[in-house]
Amino acid sequence: MTEFVMSEGLAEPADLRPAPSGERRRPVWVVPDEVPAVLPRSARFTEARWVAKYRRASLAADLGAGVIGAAVALVARFGASINLGYFVLGALLPIAWIACVALQRGYETRYFGTGPEEFRSIIRAAVALTALVAITSYATKSEVARGFVILAVPTTCLAAMVGRWFLHRQISWRRFAGRCMRRVLVVGRNDQVMTLTRHLEERPADGYVVVASCLPRGDVFEDAEFERLGRTEMDILAGVDQFDVEVVAVAADPELAGHSLRKLSWALEQRGVELIVSPGIVEVAGPRISIRPVAGLSLLHLERPSVSGGPHMLKSIFDRVVGCLLLLGVSPILLVTALLVKLTSRGPVLFRQTRVGRGGEQFQMLKFRTMVADAEARKAELHALNQGNGILFKMRDDPRITKVGKYLRRFSIDELPQLVNVLRGDMSLVGPRPPLPAEVAQYAIDDARRMLVKPGLTGLWQVSGRSDLTWEESMRLDLRYADNWSIALDLLILWKTARAVLGSDGAY
C-alpha cells in the first residue's frame, strides 16, 4: 500500500503512525503554498476554452495565409489576365494548405504555444503542399505554371509563420500573467521532483504549472520507522481528480515504469489527461533524442553531438558567406566608427587580444578600442571593484571606457571587426564566447567541451543576459550549444541577437 505525507502549511496534519496491516491510508499530496488545494469544478474547463480559441485563431491565420499566398501568386504571375482554371486553383489553395497543416499535426493541442514544433509543422506543410501540387499536376497531365507554385507556396508558408509567431507571443504574455496554463501533478522521488518542478517554473511560457507532487513518505520526512513505499495507480488517479490535473509528469521514477506506467497511461487516457515522462537527461536538445523499437521495447537513443564532417563544413560555408555579406553591409558603420575612435582618443583604432579557439588554438581577436590606451595597465588598481561573474572582469561604470566606447559597447558595435575573424576561420557567427587563455587554464575537464566548436560573434550567452550571467550560467549555456548546435539553432540565435543588441541588456 502507498503512504504519503502532507507538506507543512496544509490545513490537515498528516498522521505519522504506521498504518495497521491491511488498512490503506488516504493519499496525501504535497501542494505548493501558492496553489489552492481545491479549485472550482469550472477550472477543469479552462484549458478547453483557451485551446478552442487558439485552434480557431490558428485556422483563421492559416486560411488568411493561404488567401495571401494565392493572391500574390496570381497577381504577380498573371496580372489582370487570370483565367478561370487558375482562379479555381487559387481558391482551392487555402483549403489545401489547411489540410496539409492538419496532416502535419499543426492543430494538435500538445503543440499549441510550443513555438518550434508549430513552426516545424508549417515548414513540413509547405513541403507537403508542393509535393501535392506536383503529383496532382503529373497525375492529371495538367500544366501548372511553375511561377505560380514558386510564389504561392513560400508566400503562404511565410505568412502562416508570421501568424503563428503573433499567436505564440500573445499566449506567452498570457502565460507570464498566469493564464492559459496546464495544471501538472509531478510523480517521482524528491530530488527528481524538485528538479523537474524547477525547470517547469523557470519556463512559464511553456504553459505548465505544478499544483501537487506525489512523493514517497521517506522523501518528505526522514523517519527510521517508515520504509520507502512506491506509488499505486489509484493514488495518482485520486490526485488527478482532486486537483483537476490536466497533465501528469513522471520524473524518472524507477518504481513507476514498465507495465504499471502503461496501465497508468490507459487510465489517464480515459480521463483526457496527458502523460509526460522525464527521462532525466538534461541539457540535450530534442533532435539528438529518438525512440527506437528494439526487441519489442521502446528504447531512448541519445545521438552523439556533431563536431566534425559535413555539418561543420556547411556551418563554415554559411559563416563565410553570411559574414562576407554582413561585412559589406556594415562597412559604412565600420568607417564612421573608426574615424570616431581615432579622433576622440589617443591610441590604435583596433584592439587586438589573444583568445582561444576551437581545439585550443589561439588567435588574435579584433575589436574597436573602447578604452583608453593604457587600460590593461590600470586594470590591477580596479580589481577590487570587479562586478563580473567571478572570473571575467567587468564594471558597469568602468572609468577606462571612453565616451565613444560607451555607446559602441551599448550596441555591440565594437564587436563588428570580429567579422574579419569569421572570414579568416578563427571564429563562427554563432558559438561559445571566445575565452581568454587565463580562463581556459581554470577549466574543469567537462568545461573543455565548449572548445569542440569555434567561438562565436554571438551565442546563447549573448541572448541570455550577456555580462549579467554568472560564470556557471555562462559555462552551462556554452556547453549546451556545443552539444546541441544546428543551423536552425544558429538562425534562431542570430534573430534573437538583434533584439538583445537593440535592448542593450547586460552590455557594459
Side-chain angles (χ1 to χ4, degrees):
M1 295 299 175
T2 303
E3 297 190 54
F4 298 89
V5 296
M6 185 179 298
S7 63
E8 295 182 3
L10 295 182
E12 185 178 347
D15 182 7
L16 299 181
R17 293 173 299 173
S21 176
E23 179 181 338
R24 188 178 187 280
R25 291 188 186 273
R26 178 177 59 86
V28 187
W29 311 88
V30 179
V31 184
D33 293 338
E34 65 273 12
V35 179
V38 180
L39 291 182
R41 290 185 60 84
S42 60
R44 71 175 65 222
F45 302 108
T46 302
E47 182 184 22
R49 284 198 294 266
W50 75 258
V51 165
K53 290 181 179 179
Y54 195 94
R55 181 175 287 109
R56 288 195 297 268
S58 301
L59 286 168
D62 291 340
L63 182 63
V67 172
I68 292 173
V72 169
L74 290 173
V75 173
R77 177 62 179 82
F78 303 105
S81 57
I82 305 174
N83 59 39
L84 180 61
Y86 278 102
F87 185 82
V88 174
L89 183 60
L92 293 176
L93 180 65
I95 300 176
W97 172 250
I98 290 178
C100 289
V101 175
L103 290 174
Q104 299 301 325
R105 301 181 176 182
Y107 303 118
E108 288 193 6
T109 302
R110 56 179 173 170
Y111 293 146
F112 287 170
T114 57
E117 289 298 332
E118 284 190 284
F119 295 143
R120 289 191 188 100
S121 67
I122 295 297
I123 295 174
R124 290 195 297 264
V127 175
L129 181 59
T130 304
L132 176 64
V133 172
I135 294 173
T136 304
S137 175
Y138 176 79
T140 60
K141 297 182 179 180
S142 58
E143 294 293 335
V144 179
R146 289 188 294 270
F148 174 81
V149 179
I150 292 174
L151 287 171
V153 177
T155 304
T156 301
C157 179
L158 179 61
M161 293 185 73
V162 171
R164 290 299 181 100
W165 181 79
F166 276 109
L167 290 176
H168 180 69
R169 294 295 297 173
Q170 289 180 0
I171 197 171
S172 295
W173 292 334
R174 286 177 170 82
R175 284 173 171 173
F176 276 110
R179 300 163 57 190
C180 301
M181 305 293 284
R182 293 174 177 170
R183 298 168 58 82
V184 181
L185 168 66
V186 181
V187 181
R189 290 291 184 182
N190 194 36
D191 53 346
Q192 297 291 340
V193 166
M194 291 177 62
T195 299
L196 181 57
T197 301
R198 184 178 70 252
H199 281 288
L200 293 178
E201 291 176 347
E202 289 175 352
R203 294 287 300 271
D206 290 340
Y208 295 102
V209 56
V210 178
V211 296
S213 301
C214 179
L215 304 172
R217 175 182 296 276
D219 280 4
V220 182
F221 291 101
E222 294 295 333
D223 197 313
E225 64 176 314
F226 296 107
E227 60 178 348
R228 294 175 180 264
L229 300 174
R231 280 120 301 184
T232 67
E233 173 190 337
M234 296 305 298
D235 293 329
I236 297 174
L237 295 180
V240 168
D241 295 335
Q242 179 180 352
F243 298 105
D244 296 305
V245 170
E246 295 151 347
V247 179
V248 171
V250 179
D253 189 350
E255 296 179 358
L256 188 60
H259 186 62
S260 59
L261 187 61
R262 186 185 185 194
K263 289 180 61 180
L264 176 63
S265 69
W266 291 342
L268 294 177
E269 181 182 352
Q270 295 176 354
R271 287 168 165 77
V273 176
E274 183 179 354
L275 173 66
I276 58 178
V277 180
S278 171
I281 302 175
V282 297
E283 303 296 348
V284 178
R288 288 184 55 202
I289 300 176
S290 60
I291 302 293
R292 301 178 189 173
V294 177
L297 301 174
S298 296
L299 301 183
L300 186 70
H301 284 248
L302 182 62
E303 305 293 344
R304 287 177 293 183
S306 175
V307 296
S308 61
H312 269 273
M313 183 179 295
L314 180 61
K315 179 180 175 67
S316 180
I317 295 173
F318 174 81
D319 286 337
R320 283 176 165 82
V321 172
V322 177
C324 182
L325 294 176
L326 289 175
L327 190 61
L328 292 175
V330 301
S331 56
I333 299 178
L334 295 176
L335 293 175
V336 173
T337 304
L339 288 174
L340 289 175
V341 173
K342 188 64 177 178
L343 296 175
T344 56
S345 62
R346 298 177 57 185
V349 172
L350 294 178
F351 174 71
R352 302 171 186 269
Q353 191 175 45
T354 301
R355 297 293 179 110
V356 181
R358 184 183 180 189
E361 296 183 2
Q362 297 187 358
F363 66 96
Q364 293 294 310
M365 190 184 73
L366 303 177
K367 296 178 66 175
F368 280 122
R369 183 175 55 82
T370 59
M371 293 186 175
V372 295
D374 60 342
E376 289 298 314
R378 296 173 55 185
K379 181 178 178 180
E381 64 187 58
L382 300 173
H383 187 73
L385 303 176
N386 183 18
Q387 295 175 315
N389 52 27
I391 295 181
L392 299 179
F393 182 86
K394 288 283 185 178
M395 289 182 61
R396 290 188 178 273
D397 297 312
D398 197 322
R400 302 172 298 166
I401 299 178
T402 63
K403 293 181 179 180
V404 172
K406 184 178 298 185
Y407 291 98
L408 297 183
R409 288 190 169 208
R410 179 179 179 185
F411 297 103
S412 298
I413 298 176
D414 62 317
E415 299 177 359
L416 290 180
Q418 293 172 29
L419 289 170
V420 177
N421 290 115
V422 173
L423 295 181
R424 291 177 178 174
D426 299 327
M427 296 177 60
S428 175
L429 288 175
V430 182
R433 189 189 61 81
L436 294 165
E439 299 172 33
V440 176
Q442 303 181 54
Y443 281 178
I445 296 178
D446 294 339
D447 297 341
R449 286 187 59 83
R450 73 195 297 271
M451 292 188 291
L452 290 174
V453 295
K454 292 180 182 179
L457 181 64
T458 184
L460 286 176
W461 49 274
Q462 179 81 359
V463 299
S464 304
R466 300 161 85 178
S467 299
D468 291 332
L469 297 173
T470 65
W471 172 255
E472 290 76 15
E473 291 171 338
S474 300
M475 183 59 67
R476 178 174 57 84
L477 291 174
D478 285 343
L479 292 176
R480 178 191 299 176
Y481 177 83
D483 281 342
N484 303 297
W485 82 268
S486 65
I487 296 296
L489 179 60
D490 284 0
L491 293 175
L492 179 62
I493 292 175
L494 289 173
W495 164 254
K496 290 187 174 182
T497 297
R499 296 168 54 190
V501 169
L502 293 176
S504 67
D505 295 329
Y508 53 89

